[in-house]
Structure formats: structure tokens, C-alpha cells
């Protein structure tokens, strides 16, 4: 079975001042706003994977998978540590993201199945 070539990311992060070099709140806010726009693009791509999951999963019972949730959170915490992201930020953000993505997947599953 052949796999399609990876698709390049469809987001960019606007130019911004490095946080350590910021001299004003305007620079801080410009950096945060630039990152927020990039995060939105990434979250939209993640949502499209949830749409694909809803299309691929054989039945509605497969949408919620606690083992997969635990695996995703564990991987995020490892990545967070590697990037010096506080686990107090990473874990609750991803748990909420996962919760909302599951709700989206259920809605997509229900909307697209007879």
C-alpha cells in the first residue's frame, strides 16, 4: 500500500521580535498575535484530521477512546518538557482541546452518517 507524500504545513508565523528581546508591550502583543494566528491555522488542520477520523471510524463507539486520549496527553507532556512549556499550561489546554475535538468528531460523525 502506498502512502501519499506528506503535505507541507499551510501556516506561517508572521515576523516578530524574540520574547527575550522585547522592549515594549506593543512588541509582546505583536508576537502573541502572530503566534495566535499560526495556532489557529494549526488547530484548523487538526480539526480536519478529526473530520477524517469521523469519516474513517467504523462506528460511533470508536469516537471516544480513553487509551488514545491518555497517549496524546503523555506525548504532549514530553514535547512540552522539551520546549520548556509548563505542564500546568500544556495538560489542561490539551485536555480541553481533546474534549472539544471529540465533540466535533461526534457531531461530524452524526451529520455525515445515515
Amino acid at each position: 500500500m502506498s502512502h501519499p507524500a506528506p503535505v507541507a504545513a499551510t501556516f506561517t508565523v508572521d515576523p516578530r521580535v524574540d520574547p527575550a528581546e522585547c522592549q515594549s508591550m506593543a512588541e509582546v502583543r505583536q508576537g502573541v498575535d502572530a503566534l495566535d494566528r499560526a495556532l489557529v491555522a494549526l488547530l484548523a488542520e487538526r480539526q480536519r484530521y478529526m473530520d477524517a477520523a469521523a469519516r474513517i471510524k467504523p462506528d460511533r463507539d470508536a469516537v471516544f477512546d480513553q487509551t488514545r486520549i491518555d497517549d496524546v496527553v503523555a506525548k504532549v507532556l514530553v514535547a512540552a518538557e522539551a520546549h520548556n512549556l509548563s505542564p500546568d499550561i500544556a495538560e489542561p489546554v490539551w485536555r480541553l482541546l481533546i474534549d472539544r475535538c471529540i465533540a466535533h468528531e461526534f457531531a461530524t460523525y452524526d451529520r455525515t452518517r445515515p
Side-chain angles (χ1 to χ4, degrees), residues 28-41:
V28 169
R29 290 177 181 141
Q30 180 184 24
V32 169
D33 291 348
L35 292 170
D36 285 347
R37 287 187 293 274
L39 287 168
V40 166

Side-chain angles (χ1 to χ4, degrees), residues 36 38-48 94 97 101:
D36 285 347
L39 287 168
V40 166
L42 287 170
L43 290 171
E45 185 173 354
R46 192 181 200 284
Q47 177 182 297
R48 290 190 298 276
W94 256 266
L97 175 61
C101 284

Side-chain angles (χ1 to χ4, degrees), residues 2-26:
S2 66
H3 296 281
V7 176
T10 57
F11 71 96
T12 59
V13 181
D14 297 336
R16 64 207 176 281
V17 176
D18 185 276
E21 303 300 322
C22 287
Q23 299 296 313
S24 69
M25 284 306 300

Side-chain angles (χ1 to χ4, degrees), residues 10-94:
T10 57
F11 71 96
T12 59
V13 181
D14 297 336
R16 64 207 176 281
V17 176
D18 185 276
E21 303 300 322
C22 287
Q23 299 296 313
S24 69
M25 284 306 300
E27 290 174 331
V28 169
R29 290 177 181 141
Q30 180 184 24
V32 169
D33 291 348
L35 292 170
D36 285 347
R37 287 187 293 274
L39 287 168
V40 166
L42 287 170
L43 290 171
E45 185 173 354
R46 192 181 200 284
Q47 177 182 297
R48 290 190 298 276
Y49 281 105
M50 298 305 95
D51 294 338
R55 175 175 45 80
I56 293 167
K57 287 184 179 172
D59 57 67
R60 196 174 193 278
D61 291 339
V63 172
F64 181 88
D65 181 347
Q66 187 62 52
T67 301
R68 174 63 179 152
I69 293 168
D70 295 341
D71 181 55
V72 169
V73 171
K75 289 174 182 173
V76 163
L77 290 174
V78 168
E81 183 176 2
H83 291 279
N84 296 313
L85 173 61
S86 168
D88 292 337
I89 294 173
E91 185 166 357
V93 166
W94 256 266

